[in-house]
Amino acid sequence: PFVQRRMQRENNNTTHDGNKSKGFRIAMVSDFFYPNMGGVEEHIYSLAQCLLRRGNKVIIITHQYGERKGVRYLTNGLKVYYLPVQAFYNQNTFPTFFFTLAPIRNILIREDIKIIHCHQAFSTLAHESILHGRTMGYKVCFTDHSLFGFADSSSIHMNKVLKFSLSDIQHVICVSNTSKENTVLRAQIDPNLVSVIPNAVDATAFTPDPSSRSPDKINIVIISRLVYRKGIDLVISVIPIICKRFPNVNFIIGGDGPKKVNLEEMREKHQLHDRVELLGAVKHSDVRNVLVRGDIFLNSSLTEAFCIAIVEAASCGLLVVATKVGGVPEVLPPHMIRLADPRSDDIVEKLTEAIALIKSKDYEPFQVHKQIRSMYDWNDVAARTEVVYNRITATPSVGLFDRLRRLHGCGIWAGKVNCVVAAIDFFIWKFLEWYQPGSSIDPAIDWPTPPPSSSSSSSDGTLYS
């Protein structure tokens, strides 16, 4: 049966003219994926779908969500492995270093994976997969979606972990130039190993609908996780001021989190039940229906590497008001966004300007949507990511001692600990190779790969740098 399945895989990897398919075989790994909702989850899913349409094989490896574990298939045959590992904190798995090596090795061999693409610095599973992938000789790249500081204790520890992981990796992708600078400083890596490939948006799913707006009201929409990092404390101080200043302005807030209680208390204190609508958690499929009800979108994040939400809002024809932090100033041109300092008084001032612009009827939603559609495209992101895959595929492999030399440079004591971890991981892998050789693992049958779509070849495939 092994031979038959390998022959079947060879047939699936052969094009109609008898030549071998040149598509990449990629495993994307992160703790953050559906059914959890967020920018990282959307990025992984959208990028995977475009890579599939371009003739590549893509699988997702994540941890289980509730009763969702094992193998699931999503649109276009996107295969997702939900490892039987429970989330420990904030949707992250408990760091075990070595216990995930066996299942990940089994999956990579079964699926004949050649490239491991890990996402998000917060993800424990991503860091462990980088370690295991390099131990087994796979080509590994990493996409960083977040910004970190340098002073608080959590950032210091996270930066040490990131330096350990990225010191033994072929390439890093960041979603903005600000994110690239931040990652290079935190991980102390060569800037030439870091590329900037921004996020994108499916403009066909986020279209304007002015008929959904209230003709005599101006709605300000906020869709975000209700946590401190998203600046919800600023929102709590801004809403009463705006509602008092503009009687015809209402707020629609979607999202859930620990700050929801504070929002409810603010609404109760100022008697704004008819002016502030709290929707709770919003499914991604319903986000567009919420956005088109609004005229202005408010993003009050205290730190942000890119922020897909403001691109989605602009695609729906909303005027954006956002805090000037991280990579947000790089995302939209000035006529689509009003940038404010992360202070409540400056946010109130920029919201006042935005309300005046909406009242003047000088903001054209469909024209903005047309511009967003030409600026952001997941096919372009996929093409640029393939350039990275080509680059890391061409890099020579390194042995254990070269890896240990790199890891030893992470610090006087941290370097030695890193070397011990990498060495133990190597010996466990060698034991697994003896105990369960790769030839004894039943290969999985590939989902039939469609021919690359015509739209997927429109990009020139160059990299942002």
Side-chain angles (χ1 to χ4, degrees), residues 273-290:
H273 296 82
D274 58 334
R275 307 279 303 277
V276 179
E277 183 180 356
L278 298 178
L279 302 177
V282 179
K283 295 181 180 179
H284 190 260
S285 57
D286 297 330
V287 168
R288 185 258 177 188
N289 296 332
V290 176

Side-chain angles (χ1 to χ4, degrees), residues 320-341:
V320 176
V321 176
T323 46
K324 187 167 53 177
V325 296
V328 172
E330 304 175 30
V331 178
L332 295 174
H335 67 280
M336 297 183 188
I337 188 171
R338 298 295 181 267
L339 295 171
D341 293 329

Side-chain angles (χ1 to χ4, degrees), residues 220-241:
I220 300 176
V221 177
I222 302 168
I223 298 181
S224 167
R225 283 181 287 118
L226 305 182
V227 296
Y228 170 78
R229 189 175 71 85
K230 293 298 183 178
I232 303 302
D233 292 322
L234 292 173
V235 172
I236 292 172
S237 61
V238 164
I239 288 178
I241 299 174

Side-chain angles (χ1 to χ4, degrees), residues 43 95 104 177 201-202 378 386 414:
H43 177 101
I104 289 177
N177 289 291
V201 64
D202 183 5
W378 280 114
E386 286 180 345

Side-chain angles (χ1 to χ4, degrees), residues 31-271:
D31 278 308
F32 306 100
F33 195 65
Y34 295 127
N36 194 48
M37 298 302 302
V40 178
E41 294 84 347
E42 182 184 350
H43 177 101
I44 295 173
Y45 176 79
S46 300
L47 177 59
Q49 289 293 336
C50 282
L51 288 171
L52 284 172
R53 287 195 293 268
R54 294 175 64 85
N56 304 288
K57 174 185 172 65
V58 184
I59 66 168
I60 309 292
I61 303 177
T62 186
H63 64 76
Q64 75 175 72
Y65 282 88
E67 296 301 318
R68 185 188 293 254
K69 55 186 175 182
V71 179
R72 297 289 190 277
Y73 283 92
L74 303 183
T75 307
N76 294 327
L78 178 60
K79 194 174 187 178
V80 185
Y81 283 88
Y82 291 93
L83 299 182
V85 182
Q86 289 284 357
F88 172 66
Y89 171 74
N90 203 17
Q91 296 302 333
N92 275 291
T93 54
F94 186 81
T96 62
F97 290 101
F98 313 114
F99 292 157
T100 53
L101 173 57
I104 289 177
R105 170 183 174 268
N106 192 291
I107 293 170
L108 297 179
I109 294 175
R110 275 179 53 82
E111 301 291 345
D112 194 24
I113 296 300
K114 304 301 181 185
I115 296 173
I116 302 174
H117 188 168
C118 300
H119 291 261
Q120 185 59 307
F122 289 112
S123 173
T124 303
L125 190 60
H127 288 289
E128 293 182 355
S129 297
I130 293 174
L131 171 64
H132 302 330
R134 298 299 296 131
T135 295
M136 295 183 285
Y138 286 92
K139 306 298 183 181
V140 183
C141 64
F142 172 78
T143 296
D144 196 358
H145 297 263
S146 300
L147 299 176
F148 283 87
F150 299 89
D152 57 288
S153 59
S154 62
S155 296
I156 292 172
H157 286 86
M158 193 68 246
N159 292 343
K160 275 294 182 183
V161 173
L162 193 68
K163 186 178 180 181
F164 164 56
S165 296
L166 301 191
S167 62
D168 187 29
I169 202 169
Q170 273 95 8
H171 208 83
V172 178
I173 299 172
C174 293
V175 295
S176 66
N177 289 291
T178 301
S179 177
K180 175 181 177 178
E181 295 174 3
N182 183 262
T183 301
V184 168
L185 290 173
R186 285 157 47 211
Q188 299 178 19
I189 58 177
D190 184 359
N192 294 320
L193 296 178
V194 185
S195 299
V196 177
I197 305 178
N199 286 317
V201 64
D202 183 5
T204 60
F206 291 90
T207 54
D209 182 12
S211 64
S212 298
R213 298 178 178 179
S214 176
D216 55 347
K217 299 286 185 181
I218 293 178
N219 288 328
I220 300 176
V221 177
I222 302 168
I223 298 181
S224 167
R225 283 181 287 118
L226 305 182
V227 296
Y228 170 78
R229 189 175 71 85
K230 293 298 183 178
I232 303 302
D233 292 322
L234 292 173
V235 172
I236 292 172
S237 61
V238 164
I239 288 178
I241 299 174
I242 293 295
C243 287
K244 183 177 180 180
R245 185 177 298 181
F246 301 99
N248 65 328
V249 173
N250 295 336
F251 285 82
I252 302 172
I253 303 176
D256 202 358
K259 292 292 182 178
K260 184 178 180 181
V261 175
N262 302 80
L263 284 168
E264 292 172 342
E265 290 176 350
M266 177 273 299
R267 186 173 65 171
E268 182 72 29
K269 177 181 178 180
H270 296 277
Q271 296 296 305

